[in-house]
Amino acid sequence: MTTRLASRLALCLVPTLALSAQASPSPDEASASLQYRNYYWDENPRDGIGPTRDEWVHGLLLELDSGEIHDTFGVELGLGAADALSVGSGADNITNLRPGDSVQDPHGIAKVTRAYLRAEFGNDHHRLRLGAGKQTRRHRLYADNTSRILPSASLGYDLAYEVGDLELYLSRIERFSRRDDSGWGDRLSTFDGREIDAVNLAGVDYALPADLRLEAEYLESDDYLRQGLVRLSHQARLGEDLTLHSQVAHGRQEDAGERFETQGIPGLYPAADGHDARYNEFGLRLTHRDKYLGLAHTRVWGGNYDRLLFADDHGHWDSAANNFYRFGLEGEAMWKVSTGLGFADLGLPGLRWDGHYAVSDEATGFSDFSRREWQSVLQYRFAGALDGLSLAWLYVNHDTDGEPAAVDGKAPTFGPAGLITHEANRLYLTYRYAF
């Protein structure tokens, strides 16, 4: 099985190294790393609605960076391979790989995960950055998913301009590479198969006086869906190593043209004349060294905040309510307490724990509604001779109850904010070697 994984990686290696060699980087700026990943996930819906998973998979991820060529240009290259070690006979779903003839016989993956050209111009006062190609992009309204054995990626163009404390940026995404599939990238499309030309995004990030920060972003999936976000945050230093971070945010998601499926998507979204969902959010976070305590409140209205930008999109919502699943049904008002701490003071600098508990008790169109989620992440990063090795255990208990009620023709949704019950244990072993 390991030999098959290595051979999949080797299929991509020759053209990748050939392109890398042409870059002729400065040796002290270039970087390369090889990461081995081994994941085991045991998940079930506990008699509710959700997937049953019992999957053990592993993968290799090779990443190369040319460094700065003539202080201006750069090349980033990556390739990955993944395969199954074991899939339990009781599993009805696999998420790190795509099913083959059955869930128990999934397809392996071998693909270029990154092929990106970048350029940077400017000085200490202003800077222009350009980029084109395939990479894992992360914005506030759009983020390629990195939670599986191999990351998803998008193909497109990026531009950013920085002057002083102001950053302006644009991105255009034209193709998408699924996290569980081989291939270079597919055209974007709606759930009923109509092509979407591109997803276009624009944003601003401005560091204001008095430790204030303004973030705003607008995105449109052509003739399909549009989204916007405005966030104002403040950081106050209360003492040595003690900081209070506060923020307020408003977001909106609505249909954007003739490609929007008003007829509904069976098993995912009900039929609707249109879509116009919004949310308000505030949050507080008190941090002391490697410890923190946070409180967040999110309220959704107008519609369910759970629409995807295109058919293969796994969804992204830059909100405290975007937990293991979204607390995003119309009328939901979530409260969430989060905390985390490191154990360096106890002589274990590589050990860390983070967790949250989130609750909501109301959703429009449902009676006896209740949603609860408890999440815990325990991780350890080794040092010394085992530097680069890390272990992590994720436990999630997500429970949603409620019955559809005949209110304004509402119907239940099975999207990212649906009536899902899920208990998950995920074990991650990773080892990264830097050349």
Side-chain angles (χ1 to χ4, degrees):
M1 193 70 72
T2 303
T3 301
R4 185 166 66 180
L5 185 68
S7 65
R8 290 181 186 276
L9 190 70
L11 290 175
C12 303
L13 188 58
V14 174
T16 301
L17 292 180
L19 182 56
S20 177
Q22 294 178 20
S24 302
S26 172
D28 59 348
E29 292 181 344
S31 64
S33 68
L34 180 64
Q35 184 177 130
Y36 174 72
R37 299 176 172 183
N38 190 306
Y39 295 175
Y40 174 68
W41 294 5
D42 180 17
E43 306 176 13
N44 68 86
R46 295 184 292 108
D47 298 324
I49 299 173
T52 297
R53 295 171 179 151
D54 180 7
E55 59 186 88
W56 184 19
V57 299
H58 66 160
L60 290 170
L61 186 62
L62 176 65
E63 296 183 308
L64 309 170
D65 193 319
S66 68
E68 298 306 314
I69 303 171
H70 303 300
D71 296 322
T72 302
F73 303 100
V75 182
E76 301 169 27
L77 298 166
L79 57 98
D83 214 339
L85 290 168
S86 176
V87 180
S89 59
D92 60 20
N93 181 278
I94 186 169
T95 184
N96 284 286
L97 305 172
R98 297 187 72 179
D101 294 333
S102 68
V103 169
Q104 285 68 33
D105 184 27
H107 295 291
I109 308 173
K111 64 178 180 179
V112 175
T113 58
R114 177 174 301 188
Y116 194 72
L117 302 176
R118 65 177 190 266
E120 188 170 307
F121 308 90
N123 52 42
D124 293 339
H125 303 290
H126 59 90
R127 190 163 298 274
L128 177 67
R129 299 193 306 273
L130 307 171
K134 181 178 184 178
Q135 71 162 343
T136 297
R137 288 173 169 82
R138 297 201 67 84
H139 296 291
R140 293 162 185 83
L141 294 178
Y142 177 87
D144 291 311
N145 188 279
T146 60
S147 65
R148 299 306 191 262
I149 193 73
L150 291 182
S152 59
S154 51
L155 285 73
Y157 310 90
D158 307 285
L159 182 150
Y161 178 69
E162 294 182 24
V163 54
D165 296 323
L166 175 66
E167 179 184 10
L168 305 171
Y169 55 91
L170 302 169
S171 282
R172 179 178 173 85
I173 297 164
E174 297 181 346
R175 288 181 176 268
F176 180 71
S177 176
R178 293 169 54 114
R179 63 193 184 189
D180 59 355
D181 196 13
S182 300
W184 177 247
D186 298 320
R187 298 290 300 181
L188 313 182
S189 68
T190 64
F191 286 92
D192 59 6
R194 288 175 290 177
E195 186 172 302
I196 296 173
D197 293 335
V199 172
N200 294 295
L201 180 148
V204 56
D205 191 338
Y206 190 23
L208 298 165
D211 294 318
L212 289 168
R213 181 184 180 190
L214 175 65
E215 303 163 84
E217 201 165 278
Y218 175 81
L219 171 152
E220 184 166 330
S221 183
D222 283 348
D223 289 330
Y224 186 62
L225 192 74
R226 64 171 62 97
Q227 296 187 146
L229 170 67
V230 177
R231 178 185 291 124
L232 183 65
S233 58
H234 179 257
Q235 187 168 284
R237 301 190 182 278
L238 304 180
E240 186 176 359
D241 299 324
L242 186 64
T243 303
L244 178 64
H245 182 89
S246 57
Q247 66 174 32
V248 293
H250 173 74
R252 185 173 183 178
Q253 182 184 78
E254 59 183 337
D255 60 282
E258 61 183 15
R259 295 189 178 97
F260 185 79
E261 300 105 340
T262 55
Q263 77 279 8
I265 305 299
L268 188 59
Y269 298 118
D273 293 336
H275 180 67
D276 189 358
R278 311 178 193 191
Y279 76 95
N280 287 333
E281 182 171 278
F282 83 83
L284 297 171
R285 184 182 178 103
L286 185 65
T287 303
H288 181 258
R289 297 181 184 174
D290 59 355
K291 299 177 283 295
Y292 68 89
L293 178 64
L295 175 69
H297 177 63
T298 308
R299 186 175 72 87
V300 176
W301 80 96
N304 300 328
Y305 212 95
D306 65 349
R307 286 284 178 167
L308 305 178
L309 296 171
F310 46 88
D312 289 328
D313 182 21
H314 298 290
H316 176 70
W317 185 19
D318 189 8
S319 162
N322 187 26
N323 300 309
F324 196 79
Y325 290 106
R326 296 189 187 188
F327 285 59
L329 291 179
E330 180 182 1
E332 274 204 80
M334 182 211 70
W335 288 94
K336 175 180 174 181
V337 176
S338 57
T339 186
L341 68 155
F343 291 84
D345 293 342
L346 299 178
L348 294 169
L351 185 64
R352 179 167 189 85
W353 175 80
D354 296 272
H356 72 244
Y357 183 67
V359 302
S360 65
D361 286 315
E362 185 178 357
T364 302
F366 295 90
S367 60
D368 300 322
F369 180 84
S370 173
R371 194 195 298 269
R372 303 285 187 270
E373 181 176 294
W374 162 251
Q375 177 173 298
S376 168
V377 180
L378 182 66
Q379 54 186 322
Y380 186 75
R381 298 182 182 275
F382 291 82
L386 295 177
D387 185 36
L389 177 66
S390 66
L391 296 172
W393 169 39
L394 166 71
Y395 173 76
V396 173
N397 189 320
H398 182 98
D399 188 18
T400 310
D401 295 312
E403 294 294 333
V407 178
D408 298 327
K410 290 288 184 182
T413 174
F414 300 102
L419 297 181
I420 298 170
T421 298
H422 198 140
E423 184 174 50
N425 282 281
R426 297 182 175 182
L427 302 176
Y428 305 82
L429 180 149
T430 62
Y431 178 71
R432 182 178 182 273
Y433 179 76
F435 295 96

